mmCIF file of all heavy atoms in Angstrom:
data_model
loop_
_atom_site.group_PDB
_atom_site.id
_atom_site.type_symbol
_atom_site.label_atom_id
_atom_site.label_comp_id
_atom_site.label_asym_id
_atom_site.label_seq_id
_atom_site.Cartn_x
_atom_site.Cartn_y
_atom_site.Cartn_z
ATOM 1 N N PRO A 433 153.230 99.302 168.450
ATOM 2 C CA PRO A 433 154.437 99.515 169.262
ATOM 3 C C PRO A 433 154.169 99.397 170.758
ATOM 4 O O PRO A 433 155.009 98.888 171.507
ATOM 5 C CB PRO A 433 154.877 100.926 168.871
ATOM 6 C CG PRO A 433 154.314 101.145 167.514
ATOM 7 C CD PRO A 433 153.009 100.429 167.525
ATOM 8 N N ALA A 434 152.980 99.870 171.217
ATOM 9 C CA ALA A 434 152.648 99.736 172.631
ATOM 10 C C ALA A 434 152.526 98.267 173.023
ATOM 11 O O ALA A 434 152.975 97.853 174.110
ATOM 12 C CB ALA A 434 151.342 100.482 172.929
ATOM 13 N N GLU A 435 151.946 97.453 172.147
ATOM 14 C CA GLU A 435 151.815 96.017 172.428
ATOM 15 C C GLU A 435 153.185 95.347 172.510
ATOM 16 O O GLU A 435 153.433 94.501 173.372
ATOM 17 C CB GLU A 435 150.973 95.367 171.333
ATOM 18 C CG GLU A 435 150.585 93.921 171.616
ATOM 19 C CD GLU A 435 149.592 93.789 172.754
ATOM 20 O OE1 GLU A 435 148.591 94.523 172.754
ATOM 21 O OE2 GLU A 435 149.847 92.957 173.644
ATOM 22 N N LEU A 436 154.090 95.714 171.628
ATOM 23 C CA LEU A 436 155.435 95.148 171.658
ATOM 24 C C LEU A 436 156.189 95.573 172.919
ATOM 25 O O LEU A 436 156.968 94.793 173.491
ATOM 26 C CB LEU A 436 156.209 95.568 170.410
ATOM 27 C CG LEU A 436 155.720 94.965 169.089
ATOM 28 C CD1 LEU A 436 156.509 95.535 167.919
ATOM 29 C CD2 LEU A 436 155.845 93.446 169.114
ATOM 30 N N ALA A 437 155.965 96.813 173.354
ATOM 31 C CA ALA A 437 156.602 97.272 174.590
ATOM 32 C C ALA A 437 156.100 96.482 175.794
ATOM 33 O O ALA A 437 156.882 96.104 176.693
ATOM 34 C CB ALA A 437 156.347 98.767 174.770
ATOM 35 N N ILE A 438 154.794 96.201 175.839
ATOM 36 C CA ILE A 438 154.231 95.386 176.927
ATOM 37 C C ILE A 438 154.815 93.980 176.900
ATOM 38 O O ILE A 438 155.153 93.400 177.938
ATOM 39 C CB ILE A 438 152.698 95.361 176.816
ATOM 40 C CG1 ILE A 438 152.118 96.750 177.105
ATOM 41 C CG2 ILE A 438 152.110 94.326 177.760
ATOM 42 C CD1 ILE A 438 150.623 96.845 176.878
ATOM 43 N N ALA A 439 154.945 93.420 175.711
ATOM 44 C CA ALA A 439 155.495 92.070 175.594
ATOM 45 C C ALA A 439 156.915 92.013 176.123
ATOM 46 O O ALA A 439 157.297 91.073 176.837
ATOM 47 C CB ALA A 439 155.461 91.626 174.127
ATOM 48 N N GLU A 440 157.716 93.017 175.783
ATOM 49 C CA GLU A 440 159.116 92.998 176.209
ATOM 50 C C GLU A 440 159.258 93.270 177.700
ATOM 51 O O GLU A 440 160.089 92.649 178.380
ATOM 52 C CB GLU A 440 159.896 94.035 175.402
ATOM 53 C CG GLU A 440 161.391 94.039 175.690
ATOM 54 C CD GLU A 440 162.147 94.988 174.788
ATOM 55 O OE1 GLU A 440 161.486 95.771 174.070
ATOM 56 O OE2 GLU A 440 163.381 94.960 174.790
ATOM 57 N N ALA A 441 158.440 94.190 178.239
ATOM 58 C CA ALA A 441 158.613 94.600 179.633
ATOM 59 C C ALA A 441 157.855 93.726 180.619
ATOM 60 O O ALA A 441 158.333 93.487 181.740
ATOM 61 C CB ALA A 441 158.170 96.056 179.793
ATOM 62 N N LEU A 442 156.683 93.197 180.243
ATOM 63 C CA LEU A 442 155.826 92.509 181.208
ATOM 64 C C LEU A 442 155.607 91.027 180.899
ATOM 65 O O LEU A 442 155.648 90.192 181.805
ATOM 66 C CB LEU A 442 154.464 93.222 181.277
ATOM 67 C CG LEU A 442 154.504 94.704 181.694
ATOM 68 C CD1 LEU A 442 153.110 95.291 181.669
ATOM 69 C CD2 LEU A 442 155.139 94.857 183.068
ATOM 70 N N VAL A 443 155.369 90.697 179.622
ATOM 71 C CA VAL A 443 155.037 89.307 179.295
ATOM 72 C C VAL A 443 156.283 88.427 179.295
ATOM 73 O O VAL A 443 156.259 87.299 179.802
ATOM 74 C CB VAL A 443 154.321 89.233 177.933
ATOM 75 C CG1 VAL A 443 153.958 87.792 177.587
ATOM 76 C CG2 VAL A 443 153.059 90.087 177.952
ATOM 77 N N ALA A 444 157.374 88.908 178.721
ATOM 78 C CA ALA A 444 158.591 88.099 178.616
ATOM 79 C C ALA A 444 159.089 87.601 179.972
ATOM 80 O O ALA A 444 159.489 86.432 180.091
ATOM 81 C CB ALA A 444 159.679 88.881 177.886
ATOM 82 N N PRO A 445 159.102 88.424 181.049
ATOM 83 C CA PRO A 445 159.554 87.892 182.355
ATOM 84 C C PRO A 445 158.667 86.786 182.916
ATOM 85 O O PRO A 445 159.106 86.037 183.793
ATOM 86 C CB PRO A 445 159.535 89.140 183.252
ATOM 87 C CG PRO A 445 159.657 90.297 182.323
ATOM 88 C CD PRO A 445 158.909 89.888 181.102
ATOM 89 N N CYS A 446 157.433 86.675 182.436
ATOM 90 C CA CYS A 446 156.522 85.653 182.948
ATOM 91 C C CYS A 446 156.657 84.318 182.221
ATOM 92 O O CYS A 446 155.994 83.344 182.606
ATOM 93 C CB CYS A 446 155.068 86.131 182.827
ATOM 94 S SG CYS A 446 154.699 87.628 183.788
ATOM 95 N N CYS A 447 157.475 84.252 181.175
ATOM 96 C CA CYS A 447 157.561 83.053 180.341
ATOM 97 C C CYS A 447 158.998 82.566 180.277
ATOM 98 O O CYS A 447 159.948 83.336 180.496
ATOM 99 C CB CYS A 447 157.054 83.351 178.920
ATOM 100 S SG CYS A 447 155.344 83.928 178.856
ATOM 101 N N PRO A 448 159.207 81.281 179.988
ATOM 102 C CA PRO A 448 160.566 80.763 179.839
ATOM 103 C C PRO A 448 161.276 81.429 178.659
ATOM 104 O O PRO A 448 160.628 81.912 177.723
ATOM 105 C CB PRO A 448 160.352 79.261 179.575
ATOM 106 C CG PRO A 448 158.970 78.976 180.037
ATOM 107 C CD PRO A 448 158.197 80.220 179.849
ATOM 108 N N PRO A 449 162.612 81.458 178.681
ATOM 109 C CA PRO A 449 163.341 82.119 177.579
ATOM 110 C C PRO A 449 163.074 81.502 176.220
ATOM 111 O O PRO A 449 163.069 82.206 175.212
ATOM 112 C CB PRO A 449 164.817 81.973 177.992
ATOM 113 C CG PRO A 449 164.783 81.778 179.479
ATOM 114 C CD PRO A 449 163.521 81.025 179.757
ATOM 115 N N HIS A 450 162.863 80.150 176.191
ATOM 116 C CA HIS A 450 162.688 79.530 174.884
ATOM 117 C C HIS A 450 161.349 79.888 174.238
ATOM 118 O O HIS A 450 161.111 79.528 173.082
ATOM 119 C CB HIS A 450 162.825 78.006 174.990
ATOM 120 C CG HIS A 450 161.764 77.363 175.832
ATOM 121 N ND1 HIS A 450 161.948 77.079 177.172
ATOM 122 C CD2 HIS A 450 160.511 76.936 175.535
ATOM 123 C CE1 HIS A 450 160.860 76.519 177.656
ATOM 124 N NE2 HIS A 450 159.971 76.420 176.688
#
Side-chain angles (χ1 to χ4, degrees):
E435 189 69 48
L436 291 176
I438 292 174
E440 184 175 10
L442 301 178
V443 181
C446 298
C447 301
H450 64 265

